[in-house]
Amino acid sequence: MSTSNIKLAFIGAGGMNREHAKAFADIPGVTLAGIHSRTRSKAEALAKETGIPLVCDTIAELHEKTQADLLVIALPEMSIRSVAEIAFALPWTILMEKPPGKDLEEALGLEALAQIHGRRIYVGLNRRFLGSTEAVLNDIHSRQEPRFIRVEDQQSLETARMIGHPEEIVQRWMYANSIHLVDYLRSLCRGAVKKITPISRWNPAAPAYVLAAVEFESGDVGLYEGTWNGPGPWSVTVNTPGRRWELRPLEQAKFVNAGERALNEVPQTDADKNFKPGFRRQAEEVLKAMRGEPSRAPTLASAIETMRMIAAIFEVA
């Protein structure tokens, strides 16, 4: 693989791969090489829109004709396993959209499959790369202070059904969509998880409120608050003795210093203005990892640790 010219292929012709294509195409040295989708007409439309020169009928053809270094997979959860069984056997690095499997069991199966084939797999946890998130990380990493992280999640199973998700995924919606919020606990707190204590438990028969405390070996503490089938925000607050941060919406960072009342707003980055927020920076980090440079690109193992946290918070398999 040339470190100065990365050939990129895609499986899936939905909106997520449209955004990935835009982000990667903006980086010098990246060539969009080809795409495959179960529905060829959709692949042809996305290829025309994004400048992808080749549409392939099979995954094997996609690899053979593009010799791509990096494959981006963005598919509905129910399609992931069958595609991975073919794609993981071919010699390319892979970036998968989240979640990496419909539940923890399937994700662990994908990890085992990747190990059999010796494949490097990264997962698209783009909110780690929002300009707002990176502003918080840069600040709290510069000060060795204890951290209390609170995440507020809101989900609607009826909305999930209305937008066409199969019931098998609706019943696993904490993996499919709450991963966006739960991952903040792992990315903002330090060290391994020490203990997870459900406070208000998940009731699949009557979903309402889920509350759980998460303690880390570093001494950092997280609190997950989920409102199910009711109104609520997606938000993150980060409390330290010297500064309190708030992400609400997640793309907007604001902070208050200790001893002050003024709310300071951090300007949105150009990368988040010009691309789907987090995608441009995420693409850079994946390419760094491919070049063997220090990188924050989330590995499959890292995403699975977030899924383990979800399983413990909701007390599900």
Side-chain angles (χ1 to χ4, degrees), residues 95-212:
L95 170 64
M96 301 177 64
E97 259 307 319
K98 59 190 165 304
K102 64 185 180 182
D103 53 24
L104 178 58
E105 180 182 7
E106 185 167 277
L108 291 170
L110 294 180
E111 183 180 46
L113 189 63
Q115 291 171 349
I116 289 171
H117 293 294
R119 204 62 58 231
R120 286 193 298 170
I121 313 292
Y122 299 95
V123 177
L125 294 167
N126 63 293
R127 283 172 175 78
R128 294 190 185 190
F129 303 99
L130 299 178
S132 54
T133 305
E134 294 195 320
V136 174
L137 286 169
N138 289 336
D139 175 63
I140 61 179
H141 286 341
S142 70
R143 294 179 289 106
Q144 294 302 310
E145 297 179 325
R147 305 171 188 175
F148 169 58
I149 314 296
R150 175 188 175 194
V151 301
E152 290 184 85
D153 183 16
Q154 185 277 332
Q155 302 292 343
S156 169
L157 300 185
E158 284 308 310
T159 297
R161 293 185 180 102
M162 286 175 59
I163 60 180
H165 290 280
E167 192 63 26
E168 190 170 351
I169 299 305
V170 172
Q171 295 304 318
R172 295 167 172 80
W173 200 239
M174 64 286 294
Y175 291 113
N177 221 39
S178 291
I179 191 171
H180 292 287
L181 278 300
V182 174
D183 191 63
Y184 270 104
L185 293 172
R186 289 200 57 251
S187 58
L188 295 175
C189 294
R190 294 164 292 187
V193 174
K194 179 181 177 182
K195 183 180 180 182
I196 297 178
T197 306
I199 300 169
S200 179
R201 286 182 152 84
W202 167 251
N203 179 1
Y209 302 103
V210 178
L211 185 65

Side-chain angles (χ1 to χ4, degrees), residues 38-58:
R38 183 174 59 182
T39 306
R40 185 179 176 92
S41 60
K42 291 183 179 180
E44 290 173 344
L46 185 57
K48 181 178 180 180
E49 177 183 347
T50 57
I52 298 171
L54 182 66
V55 177
C56 297
D57 290 321
T58 67

Side-chain angles (χ1 to χ4, degrees), residues 9-11 35-36 54 56-68 71 83 85-92:
F10 302 87
I11 296 178
I35 185 171
H36 163 72
L54 182 66
C56 297
D57 290 321
T58 67
I59 298 171
E61 180 191 2
L62 182 67
H63 182 267
E64 179 183 354
K65 290 188 175 179
T66 65
Q67 293 296 297
L71 172 69
V83 167
E85 288 175 350
I86 301 171
F88 283 20
L90 297 167
W92 41 23

Side-chain angles (χ1 to χ4, degrees), residues 71-92:
L71 172 69
V72 180
I73 300 175
L75 296 168
E77 291 85 354
M78 295 299 293
S79 302
I80 293 172
R81 176 73 195 193
S82 60
V83 167
E85 288 175 350
I86 301 171
F88 283 20
L90 297 167
W92 41 23

Side-chain angles (χ1 to χ4, degrees), residues 3-6 23-31 280 284 287 291:
T3 57
S4 59
N5 184 17
I6 302 293
F24 277 102
D26 188 60
I27 300 176
V30 174
T31 300
R280 181 58 169 74
E284 291 177 0
L287 296 177
R291 294 192 293 263

